[in-house]
Amino acid sequence: MNTTDVMQEYNEFERKRFNSFNGIKVTENNLTKFVSNDRHGSYISFFDFDESLTDSIVKEQLAYFKQRDLCFEWKTYSTDTPTNISAVLLENGFEQDEHESFMVLDLSKATCEPFNEGKITEVTDSKGIRDAIKVQEQVWGGDFEWHYNHLISLKQHAPDSVSIYVVYVDDQPVTSAWIIFNGSSPFAGIWGGSTIEAFRGNGYYSLLLNKRIEEAKSRGVKYLTIDASDMSKPIVSKRGFEVIATTTGYTSPSSE
């Protein structure tokens, strides 16, 4: 896999073009952003500008979102330019999140492993999607309401663009994950992939990983992507995912 070519393709098809339900997409001066209808959930998706402009552009975006009383994330990839973006974001009060590995699976080379379909529930309604989000809230903490609204909007406006899966144990949601397809993009992205601590070690993460790999292959997608934490990286590596870049999120300063 040519990692440089894959990253360029990902920038074009995923970071510059995406579904903007539950908000709007704004593109200006080599910067693309999503402005959410919720206070949380907005983000800078793509950027590419001269290093001398970094501070002024960061301040412009801070003013833009502050005027709308919105928090936002500025997500960076290690392949991005300008290279001073991280330092300037920190200088302007952004909080740095944990590093993750942006990894890609070439589905033409991936094999489908057997899994127990009977343990997986695909959820499509408000209650089921809420169950999926409950898992995320218990695992990660924080405000996940915008995640819920985002998934609901996708299901309502483009139902084939997202599949959401939950593993239940005695009617309790214990693992959740989803996969998102973006129109004619050669990429699909897997997200969520979280299990409540008391239920880890039962193979539920791998179960939903195998389900989503199978679905992506059946839909004819070329690549499957993940932002892998240190916990999930060894698991997806065994399935053939390769590291393309390191990602880091920076959360805008908040008045809360």
Side-chain angles (χ1 to χ4, degrees), residues 132-177:
I133 293 302
K134 283 180 182 176
V135 173
Q136 305 296 316
E137 290 172 338
Q138 290 183 64
V139 172
W140 303 106
D143 182 357
F144 276 78
E145 189 64 18
W146 74 268
H147 283 276
Y148 170 79
N149 291 335
H150 174 64
L151 292 177
I152 283 286
S153 294
L154 283 177
K155 266 301 175 192
Q156 289 175 342
H157 295 96
D160 292 337
S161 69
V162 60
S163 299
I164 307 160
Y165 298 106
V166 177
V167 174
Y168 291 90
V169 175
D170 297 328
D171 296 324
Q172 176 187 352
V174 301
T175 302
S176 68

Side-chain angles (χ1 to χ4, degrees), residues 35-186:
V35 184
S36 176
N37 291 337
D38 297 308
R39 187 165 192 271
H40 297 270
S42 299
Y43 58 89
I44 305 298
S45 178
F46 177 79
F47 58 94
D48 183 15
F49 43 78
D50 188 85
E51 186 171 300
S52 63
L53 300 174
T54 306
D55 189 63
S56 62
I57 290 178
V58 167
K59 284 181 166 60
E60 285 173 5
Q61 298 310 311
L62 280 168
Y64 177 95
F65 285 101
K66 183 178 181 180
Q67 184 180 26
R68 292 158 178 78
D69 193 29
L70 298 175
C71 302
F72 71 103
E73 179 190 41
W74 197 309
K75 184 176 179 179
T76 68
Y77 292 72
S78 54
T79 52
D80 285 338
T81 53
T83 57
N84 67 339
I85 185 67
S86 297
V88 173
L89 289 171
L90 292 173
E91 288 168 3
N92 279 276
F94 283 76
E95 182 178 341
Q96 181 178 309
D97 299 325
E98 294 292 326
H99 299 300
E100 292 185 315
S101 297
F102 175 63
M103 303 179 71
V104 175
L105 175 65
D106 183 343
L107 287 164
S108 68
K109 300 176 181 178
T111 58
C112 291
E113 295 190 357
F115 59 91
N116 188 343
E117 187 88 38
K119 291 185 177 181
I120 301 172
T121 300
E122 182 177 1
V123 297
T124 58
D125 61 6
S126 176
K127 180 184 180 302
I129 295 173
R130 180 65 72 184
D131 283 345
I133 293 302
K134 283 180 182 176
V135 173
Q136 305 296 316
E137 290 172 338
Q138 290 183 64
V139 172
W140 303 106
D143 182 357
F144 276 78
E145 189 64 18
W146 74 268
H147 283 276
Y148 170 79
N149 291 335
H150 174 64
L151 292 177
I152 283 286
S153 294
L154 283 177
K155 266 301 175 192
Q156 289 175 342
H157 295 96
D160 292 337
S161 69
V162 60
S163 299
I164 307 160
Y165 298 106
V166 177
V167 174
Y168 291 90
V169 175
D170 297 328
D171 296 324
Q172 176 187 352
V174 301
T175 302
S176 68
W178 51 93
I179 180 170
I180 294 179
F181 300 90
N182 184 21
S184 60
S185 171

Side-chain angles (χ1 to χ4, degrees), residues 241-254:
F241 282 80
E242 298 180 34
V243 176
I244 303 297
T246 299
T247 64
T248 309
Y250 294 85
T251 304
S252 64
S254 173

